[in-house]
Amino acid sequence: MRVVILALLDSTAKKQADTLAYVVMPDHFHWLMQLGGVSLSRVVQRVKSKSGYEINRLSQCSGKVWQHGFHDHALRKEENIKAVARYIVANPLRAGLVDSIGDYPFWSAAWL
């Protein structure tokens, strides 16, 4: 899971996207970000490629790690960005993985 986090943060470091919040779940991740000068498809492809390569390398496996495509949602002006960030990081609670978000180590948010 840390490999995915490093790939997300690498996109921020390379100014492809500004990471505002994320949570990495056992089989997927949620990422709230503002695009830099790169298309959404390209940013997601780079994250999936970089993390997939590292996951295969570390597990000494090969093959497909991520499914094709992704689901996206562009925020509207009337949507509260902080509320969306809270919703994202609360995924482990809703999934029953932890009783407190503080017990789940694979998330971050700019405001929380």
Side-chain angles (χ1 to χ4, degrees):
M1 290 192 206
R2 295 191 191 284
V3 168
V4 178
I5 294 169
L6 290 174
L8 296 175
L9 297 178
D10 185 60
S11 290
T12 297
K14 292 182 178 173
K15 302 192 186 301
Q16 298 165 350
D18 185 18
T19 296
L20 304 174
Y22 67 81
V23 64
V24 180
M25 302 292 285
D27 61 350
H28 66 284
F29 66 89
H30 298 269
W31 186 20
L32 177 62
M33 48 89 151
Q34 183 173 0
L35 287 172
V38 181
S39 73
L40 177 61
S41 294
R42 186 69 177 138
V43 172
V44 172
Q45 184 272 331
R46 286 179 179 172
V47 167
K48 289 168 60 173
S49 176
K50 182 177 183 66
S51 62
Y53 173 81
E54 285 299 314
I55 289 167
N56 277 332
R57 186 182 69 77
L58 292 169
S59 63
Q60 298 181 348
C61 294
S62 63
K64 187 174 160 180
V65 171
W66 299 105
Q67 71 180 26
H68 181 72
F70 59 92
H71 300 282
D72 66 318
H73 170 78
L75 295 183
R76 295 187 174 107
K77 287 181 183 179
E78 65 272 8
E79 288 182 277
N80 183 319
I81 196 166
K82 291 180 185 178
V84 172
R86 284 188 205 97
Y87 181 84
I88 286 171
V89 301
N91 269 274
L93 293 170
R94 288 192 299 280
L97 298 177
V98 292
D99 293 323
S100 168
I101 191 60
D103 296 335
Y104 195 78
F106 307 112
W107 69 273
S108 185
W111 308 278
L112 305 175

